[in-house]
Amino acid sequence: RKEVEQDPGPFNVPEGATVAFNCTYSNSASQSFFWYRQDCRKEPKLLMSVYSSGNEDGRFTAQLNRASQYISLLIRDSKLSDSATYLCVVNTNAGKSTFGDGTTLTVKP
Amino acid sequence: DAGVIQSPRHEVTEMGQEVTLRCKPISGHDYLFWYRQTMMRGLELLIYFNNNVPIDDSGMPEDRFSAKMPNASFSTLKIQPSEPRDSAVYFCASSFGGGLSYNEQFFGPGTRLTVL
């Protein structure tokens, strides 16, 4: 079993749709959590951190459930420019980062 | 700041040759990470350094791979001898602070390696 698991998708949604991605992690000692975005043939870039109380950044909402070892990302009113691969990232207190394989999103007109 | 700089951006070599990938982290960052990305295995952490000292190299696939960080502004990842299965995109990333805090990792543009 992988340390960080994501549904690979692809998710194909129309503009304006709401879409949610899930991620589970196996290491209960994990300390910090992130969502990164990676465009085709580009490097990953931080989308948002995921805090215990949940956090929102514009159309994006991230949730963390430590008991279930589960992270989610919700995108509201999706735009064409949201098309990308979304990577779930989990850090241990030893500083090690583990990336999920990513979920691919395509937003269509 | 120019961001994380990697060179070369593309490398095509023949099996058995030595390959050296280079990385210049963002000035002031104390953590440096080397990753490899393939379609089959996704993004894998190979090794990371804190203040130029290797902390965890458990992701390095085998003895053919080695990494060094002689100073705070330069790191290399060497593959000797290279094999076709080493073909991948190799990313370098840096951050200020590591996994204990919510510090963003900044990735370089990657080196696309093809071993024939």
Side-chain angles (χ1 to χ4, degrees), chain A residues 94-95, chain B residues 25-33 47-56 68-75 93-100:
Chain B
I26 292 172
S27 178
H29 282 188
D30 57 348
Y31 279 79
L32 183 139
F33 307 82
I47 184 171
Y48 74 95
F49 297 82
N50 176 219
N51 291 321
N52 315 337
V53 176
I55 302 301
D56 185 344
K68 294 182 180 180
M69 191 166 186
N71 56 62
S73 59
F74 184 66
S75 177
S94 70
S95 72
F96 179 68
L100 288 174

mmCIF file of all heavy atoms in Angstrom, chain A residues 94-95, chain B residues 25-33 47-56 68-75 93-100:
data_model
loop_
_atom_site.group_PDB
_atom_site.id
_atom_site.type_symbol
_atom_site.label_atom_id
_atom_site.label_comp_id
_atom_site.label_asym_id
_atom_site.label_seq_id
_atom_site.Cartn_x
_atom_site.Cartn_y
_atom_site.Cartn_z
ATOM 1 N N ALA A 94 10.162 14.183 10.548
ATOM 2 C CA ALA A 94 11.575 14.043 10.186
ATOM 3 C C ALA A 94 11.915 14.868 8.947
ATOM 4 O O ALA A 94 13.054 14.854 8.497
ATOM 5 C CB ALA A 94 11.901 12.578 9.933
ATOM 6 N N GLY A 95 10.929 15.549 8.417
ATOM 7 C CA GLY A 95 11.184 16.407 7.273
ATOM 8 C C GLY A 95 10.964 15.754 5.935
ATOM 9 O O GLY A 95 11.133 16.375 4.890
ATOM 10 N N PRO B 25 19.857 26.164 -5.194
ATOM 11 C CA PRO B 25 18.626 26.466 -4.451
ATOM 12 C C PRO B 25 18.430 27.969 -4.288
ATOM 13 O O PRO B 25 19.319 28.760 -4.604
ATOM 14 C CB PRO B 25 18.886 25.799 -3.096
ATOM 15 C CG PRO B 25 20.372 25.838 -2.933
ATOM 16 C CD PRO B 25 20.928 25.664 -4.327
ATOM 17 N N ILE B 26 17.284 28.334 -3.782
ATOM 18 C CA ILE B 26 17.003 29.735 -3.494
ATOM 19 C C ILE B 26 17.888 30.173 -2.328
ATOM 20 O O ILE B 26 18.007 29.451 -1.325
ATOM 21 C CB ILE B 26 15.515 29.937 -3.177
ATOM 22 C CG1 ILE B 26 14.681 29.693 -4.452
ATOM 23 C CG2 ILE B 26 15.239 31.317 -2.617
ATOM 24 C CD1 ILE B 26 13.187 29.685 -4.228
ATOM 25 N N SER B 27 18.482 31.332 -2.462
ATOM 26 C CA SER B 27 19.372 31.835 -1.429
ATOM 27 C C SER B 27 18.650 31.950 -0.089
ATOM 28 O O SER B 27 17.531 32.476 -0.018
ATOM 29 C CB SER B 27 19.897 33.214 -1.856
ATOM 30 O OG SER B 27 20.722 33.763 -0.856
ATOM 31 N N GLY B 28 19.297 31.431 0.954
ATOM 32 C CA GLY B 28 18.707 31.493 2.289
ATOM 33 C C GLY B 28 17.929 30.253 2.684
ATOM 34 O O GLY B 28 17.624 30.055 3.865
ATOM 35 N N HIS B 29 17.608 29.411 1.722
ATOM 36 C CA HIS B 29 16.904 28.165 2.040
ATOM 37 C C HIS B 29 17.887 27.163 2.634
ATOM 38 O O HIS B 29 19.022 27.031 2.174
ATOM 39 C CB HIS B 29 16.246 27.582 0.793
ATOM 40 C CG HIS B 29 14.986 28.278 0.423
ATOM 41 N ND1 HIS B 29 14.143 27.813 -0.576
ATOM 42 C CD2 HIS B 29 14.390 29.399 0.912
ATOM 43 C CE1 HIS B 29 13.097 28.619 -0.675
ATOM 44 N NE2 HIS B 29 13.240 29.593 0.220
ATOM 45 N N ASP B 30 17.413 26.437 3.676
ATOM 46 C CA ASP B 30 18.302 25.509 4.366
ATOM 47 C C ASP B 30 18.002 24.043 4.070
ATOM 48 O O ASP B 30 18.708 23.165 4.560
ATOM 49 C CB ASP B 30 18.291 25.772 5.870
ATOM 50 C CG ASP B 30 16.908 25.691 6.483
ATOM 51 O OD1 ASP B 30 15.909 25.664 5.720
ATOM 52 O OD2 ASP B 30 16.813 25.662 7.723
ATOM 53 N N TYR B 31 16.937 23.774 3.316
ATOM 54 C CA TYR B 31 16.626 22.404 2.925
ATOM 55 C C TYR B 31 16.685 22.302 1.405
ATOM 56 O O TYR B 31 16.209 23.184 0.675
ATOM 57 C CB TYR B 31 15.224 21.993 3.387
ATOM 58 C CG TYR B 31 15.150 21.577 4.843
ATOM 59 C CD1 TYR B 31 15.105 22.521 5.853
ATOM 60 C CD2 TYR B 31 15.129 20.226 5.191
ATOM 61 C CE1 TYR B 31 15.047 22.144 7.179
ATOM 62 C CE2 TYR B 31 15.063 19.835 6.527
ATOM 63 C CZ TYR B 31 15.021 20.801 7.514
ATOM 64 O OH TYR B 31 14.960 20.421 8.834
ATOM 65 N N LEU B 32 17.243 21.192 0.942
ATOM 66 C CA LEU B 32 17.287 20.929 -0.492
ATOM 67 C C LEU B 32 16.860 19.487 -0.731
ATOM 68 O O LEU B 32 17.299 18.580 -0.011
ATOM 69 C CB LEU B 32 18.692 21.159 -1.061
ATOM 70 C CG LEU B 32 18.824 20.989 -2.583
ATOM 71 C CD1 LEU B 32 19.719 22.064 -3.173
ATOM 72 C CD2 LEU B 32 19.286 19.611 -2.964
ATOM 73 N N PHE B 33 15.998 19.308 -1.711
ATOM 74 C CA PHE B 33 15.407 18.003 -2.008
ATOM 75 C C PHE B 33 15.676 17.638 -3.469
ATOM 76 O O PHE B 33 15.608 18.489 -4.346
ATOM 77 C CB PHE B 33 13.886 18.038 -1.799
ATOM 78 C CG PHE B 33 13.441 18.547 -0.454
ATOM 79 C CD1 PHE B 33 13.351 19.910 -0.203
ATOM 80 C CD2 PHE B 33 13.093 17.666 0.555
ATOM 81 C CE1 PHE B 33 12.930 20.393 1.021
ATOM 82 C CE2 PHE B 33 12.665 18.130 1.796
ATOM 83 C CZ PHE B 33 12.586 19.493 2.035
ATOM 84 N N ILE B 47 16.515 12.055 -2.065
ATOM 85 C CA ILE B 47 17.388 12.427 -0.960
ATOM 86 C C ILE B 47 17.086 13.870 -0.582
ATOM 87 O O ILE B 47 16.614 14.648 -1.425
ATOM 88 C CB ILE B 47 18.876 12.280 -1.364
ATOM 89 C CG1 ILE B 47 19.830 12.564 -0.204
ATOM 90 C CG2 ILE B 47 19.212 13.176 -2.562
ATOM 91 C CD1 ILE B 47 21.293 12.229 -0.508
ATOM 92 N N TYR B 48 17.330 14.213 0.691
ATOM 93 C CA TYR B 48 17.264 15.618 1.036
ATOM 94 C C TYR B 48 18.359 16.015 2.019
ATOM 95 O O TYR B 48 18.876 15.166 2.757
ATOM 96 C CB TYR B 48 15.872 16.035 1.527
ATOM 97 C CG TYR B 48 15.463 15.595 2.901
ATOM 98 C CD1 TYR B 48 15.636 16.428 4.009
ATOM 99 C CD2 TYR B 48 14.847 14.371 3.096
ATOM 100 C CE1 TYR B 48 15.220 16.040 5.267
ATOM 101 C CE2 TYR B 48 14.432 13.970 4.352
ATOM 102 C CZ TYR B 48 14.597 14.814 5.432
ATOM 103 O OH TYR B 48 14.178 14.419 6.678
ATOM 104 N N PHE B 49 18.722 17.276 1.960
ATOM 105 C CA PHE B 49 19.799 17.854 2.757
ATOM 106 C C PHE B 49 19.234 18.947 3.669
ATOM 107 O O PHE B 49 18.302 19.655 3.291
ATOM 108 C CB PHE B 49 20.852 18.518 1.847
ATOM 109 C CG PHE B 49 21.569 17.579 0.925
ATOM 110 C CD1 PHE B 49 20.994 17.176 -0.276
ATOM 111 C CD2 PHE B 49 22.828 17.100 1.237
ATOM 112 C CE1 PHE B 49 21.665 16.323 -1.146
ATOM 113 C CE2 PHE B 49 23.519 16.251 0.382
ATOM 114 C CZ PHE B 49 22.925 15.860 -0.810
ATOM 115 N N ASN B 50 19.841 19.064 4.827
ATOM 116 C CA ASN B 50 19.570 20.183 5.710
ATOM 117 C C ASN B 50 20.907 20.829 6.047
ATOM 118 O O ASN B 50 21.804 20.145 6.568
ATOM 119 C CB ASN B 50 18.840 19.719 6.972
ATOM 120 C CG ASN B 50 18.607 20.835 7.972
ATOM 121 O OD1 ASN B 50 18.711 20.644 9.179
ATOM 122 N ND2 ASN B 50 18.294 22.031 7.506
ATOM 123 N N ASN B 51 21.029 22.097 5.755
ATOM 124 C CA ASN B 51 22.304 22.798 5.976
ATOM 125 C C ASN B 51 23.480 22.034 5.371
ATOM 126 O O ASN B 51 24.514 21.818 6.010
ATOM 127 C CB ASN B 51 22.530 23.036 7.476
ATOM 128 C CG ASN B 51 21.546 24.044 8.036
ATOM 129 O OD1 ASN B 51 21.214 25.033 7.388
ATOM 130 N ND2 ASN B 51 21.056 23.793 9.237
ATOM 131 N N ASN B 52 23.284 21.573 4.155
ATOM 132 C CA ASN B 52 24.295 20.893 3.342
ATOM 133 C C ASN B 52 24.584 19.465 3.779
ATOM 134 O O ASN B 52 25.428 18.801 3.164
ATOM 135 C CB ASN B 52 25.623 21.666 3.298
ATOM 136 C CG ASN B 52 25.444 23.146 3.065
ATOM 137 O OD1 ASN B 52 24.442 23.567 2.526
ATOM 138 N ND2 ASN B 52 26.420 23.925 3.491
ATOM 139 N N VAL B 53 23.915 18.975 4.794
ATOM 140 C CA VAL B 53 24.166 17.621 5.300
ATOM 141 C C VAL B 53 23.044 16.690 4.832
ATOM 142 O O VAL B 53 21.873 17.017 5.013
ATOM 143 C CB VAL B 53 24.230 17.612 6.840
ATOM 144 C CG1 VAL B 53 24.395 16.191 7.358
ATOM 145 C CG2 VAL B 53 25.355 18.510 7.333
ATOM 146 N N PRO B 54 23.391 15.550 4.234
ATOM 147 C CA PRO B 54 22.331 14.619 3.823
ATOM 148 C C PRO B 54 21.612 14.048 5.036
ATOM 149 O O PRO B 54 22.251 13.538 5.960
ATOM 150 C CB PRO B 54 23.087 13.532 3.044
ATOM 151 C CG PRO B 54 24.493 13.618 3.521
ATOM 152 C CD PRO B 54 24.734 15.037 3.900
ATOM 153 N N ILE B 55 20.284 14.132 5.030
ATOM 154 C CA ILE B 55 19.485 13.689 6.169
ATOM 155 C C ILE B 55 18.867 12.315 5.907
ATOM 156 O O ILE B 55 18.839 11.462 6.790
ATOM 157 C CB ILE B 55 18.379 14.708 6.497
ATOM 158 C CG1 ILE B 55 18.986 16.083 6.785
ATOM 159 C CG2 ILE B 55 17.525 14.223 7.654
ATOM 160 C CD1 ILE B 55 19.958 16.104 7.942
ATOM 161 N N ASP B 56 18.340 12.136 4.722
ATOM 162 C CA ASP B 56 17.659 10.883 4.407
ATOM 163 C C ASP B 56 17.905 10.561 2.939
ATOM 164 O O ASP B 56 17.444 11.293 2.063
ATOM 165 C CB ASP B 56 16.158 11.022 4.694
ATOM 166 C CG ASP B 56 15.394 9.711 4.498
ATOM 167 O OD1 ASP B 56 15.920 8.780 3.858
ATOM 168 O OD2 ASP B 56 14.252 9.618 4.990
ATOM 169 N N LYS B 68 25.551 15.198 -3.757
ATOM 170 C CA LYS B 68 26.430 15.980 -2.898
ATOM 171 C C LYS B 68 25.894 17.402 -2.782
ATOM 172 O O LYS B 68 25.196 17.891 -3.673
ATOM 173 C CB LYS B 68 27.847 16.018 -3.480
ATOM 174 C CG LYS B 68 28.561 14.683 -3.499
ATOM 175 C CD LYS B 68 29.977 14.825 -4.040
ATOM 176 C CE LYS B 68 30.698 13.485 -4.054
ATOM 177 N NZ LYS B 68 32.080 13.605 -4.590
ATOM 178 N N MET B 69 26.272 18.028 -1.683
ATOM 179 C CA MET B 69 25.946 19.445 -1.513
ATOM 180 C C MET B 69 27.166 20.096 -0.866
ATOM 181 O O MET B 69 27.234 20.188 0.367
ATOM 182 C CB MET B 69 24.692 19.640 -0.685
ATOM 183 C CG MET B 69 24.188 21.053 -0.722
ATOM 184 S SD MET B 69 22.504 21.193 -0.098
ATOM 185 C CE MET B 69 22.200 22.931 -0.459
ATOM 186 N N PRO B 70 28.125 20.504 -1.654
ATOM 187 C CA PRO B 70 29.384 21.025 -1.117
ATOM 188 C C PRO B 70 29.235 22.369 -0.411
ATOM 189 O O PRO B 70 30.066 22.709 0.442
ATOM 190 C CB PRO B 70 30.277 21.156 -2.355
ATOM 191 C CG PRO B 70 29.325 21.236 -3.507
ATOM 192 C CD PRO B 70 28.138 20.425 -3.120
ATOM 193 N N ASN B 71 28.185 23.117 -0.763
ATOM 194 C CA ASN B 71 27.938 24.394 -0.086
ATOM 195 C C ASN B 71 26.458 24.735 -0.191
ATOM 196 O O ASN B 71 25.696 24.019 -0.848
ATOM 197 C CB ASN B 71 28.806 25.505 -0.683
ATOM 198 C CG ASN B 71 28.610 25.670 -2.172
ATOM 199 O OD1 ASN B 71 27.506 25.989 -2.612
ATOM 200 N ND2 ASN B 71 29.660 25.450 -2.957
ATOM 201 N N ALA B 72 26.072 25.810 0.432
ATOM 202 C CA ALA B 72 24.650 26.141 0.532
ATOM 203 C C ALA B 72 24.013 26.546 -0.791
ATOM 204 O O ALA B 72 22.793 26.646 -0.888
ATOM 205 C CB ALA B 72 24.467 27.270 1.550
ATOM 206 N N SER B 73 24.818 26.780 -1.802
ATOM 207 C CA SER B 73 24.258 27.273 -3.059
ATOM 208 C C SER B 73 24.412 26.310 -4.222
ATOM 209 O O SER B 73 24.184 26.671 -5.380
ATOM 210 C CB SER B 73 24.915 28.612 -3.429
ATOM 211 O OG SER B 73 26.306 28.456 -3.552
ATOM 212 N N PHE B 74 24.771 25.045 -3.934
ATOM 213 C CA PHE B 74 25.003 24.134 -5.050
ATOM 214 C C PHE B 74 24.857 22.687 -4.611
ATOM 215 O O PHE B 74 25.353 22.293 -3.549
ATOM 216 C CB PHE B 74 26.413 24.369 -5.609
ATOM 217 C CG PHE B 74 26.742 23.554 -6.824
ATOM 218 C CD1 PHE B 74 26.085 23.755 -8.020
ATOM 219 C CD2 PHE B 74 27.730 22.569 -6.770
ATOM 220 C CE1 PHE B 74 26.395 23.006 -9.143
ATOM 221 C CE2 PHE B 74 28.046 21.816 -7.886
ATOM 222 C CZ PHE B 74 27.383 22.032 -9.075
ATOM 223 N N SER B 75 24.192 21.912 -5.465
ATOM 224 C CA SER B 75 24.077 20.475 -5.222
ATOM 225 C C SER B 75 24.141 19.747 -6.557
ATOM 226 O O SER B 75 23.758 20.290 -7.595
ATOM 227 C CB SER B 75 22.768 20.148 -4.518
ATOM 228 O OG SER B 75 22.613 18.746 -4.344
ATOM 229 N N ALA B 93 14.288 20.826 -5.332
ATOM 230 C CA ALA B 93 13.424 21.776 -4.631
ATOM 231 C C ALA B 93 14.156 22.273 -3.396
ATOM 232 O O ALA B 93 15.028 21.586 -2.850
ATOM 233 C CB ALA B 93 12.099 21.120 -4.233
ATOM 234 N N SER B 94 13.809 23.464 -2.957
ATOM 235 C CA SER B 94 14.396 23.980 -1.720
ATOM 236 C C SER B 94 13.319 24.623 -0.871
ATOM 237 O O SER B 94 12.257 25.028 -1.371
ATOM 238 C CB SER B 94 15.535 24.965 -2.013
ATOM 239 O OG SER B 94 15.067 26.183 -2.554
ATOM 240 N N SER B 95 13.591 24.695 0.422
ATOM 241 C CA SER B 95 12.665 25.349 1.337
ATOM 242 C C SER B 95 13.431 25.927 2.506
ATOM 243 O O SER B 95 14.585 25.538 2.773
ATOM 244 C CB SER B 95 11.597 24.373 1.835
ATOM 245 O OG SER B 95 12.149 23.432 2.739
ATOM 246 N N PHE B 96 12.770 26.851 3.192
ATOM 247 C CA PHE B 96 13.328 27.356 4.433
ATOM 248 C C PHE B 96 12.576 26.633 5.540
ATOM 249 O O PHE B 96 11.402 26.876 5.781
ATOM 250 C CB PHE B 96 13.156 28.873 4.547
ATOM 251 C CG PHE B 96 13.700 29.417 5.837
ATOM 252 C CD1 PHE B 96 15.059 29.409 6.070
ATOM 253 C CD2 PHE B 96 12.857 29.902 6.813
ATOM 254 C CE1 PHE B 96 15.576 29.885 7.260
ATOM 255 C CE2 PHE B 96 13.360 30.391 8.004
ATOM 256 C CZ PHE B 96 14.719 30.386 8.232
ATOM 257 N N GLY B 97 13.240 25.738 6.209
ATOM 258 C CA GLY B 97 12.566 24.892 7.179
ATOM 259 C C GLY B 97 12.053 23.647 6.483
ATOM 260 O O GLY B 97 11.776 23.645 5.294
ATOM 261 N N GLY B 98 11.915 22.561 7.204
ATOM 262 C CA GLY B 98 11.517 21.303 6.584
ATOM 263 C C GLY B 98 10.141 20.856 7.021
ATOM 264 O O GLY B 98 9.218 21.647 7.115
ATOM 265 N N GLY B 99 10.024 19.586 7.315
ATOM 266 C CA GLY B 99 8.701 19.024 7.528
ATOM 267 C C GLY B 99 8.043 19.396 8.823
ATOM 268 O O GLY B 99 6.869 19.112 9.010
ATOM 269 N N LEU B 100 8.763 20.019 9.736
ATOM 270 C CA LEU B 100 8.157 20.346 11.021
ATOM 271 C C LEU B 100 7.249 21.557 10.933
ATOM 272 O O LEU B 100 6.531 21.857 11.859
ATOM 273 C CB LEU B 100 9.259 20.613 12.062
ATOM 274 C CG LEU B 100 10.017 19.374 12.533
ATOM 275 C CD1 LEU B 100 11.170 19.751 13.442
ATOM 276 C CD2 LEU B 100 9.078 18.428 13.264
#
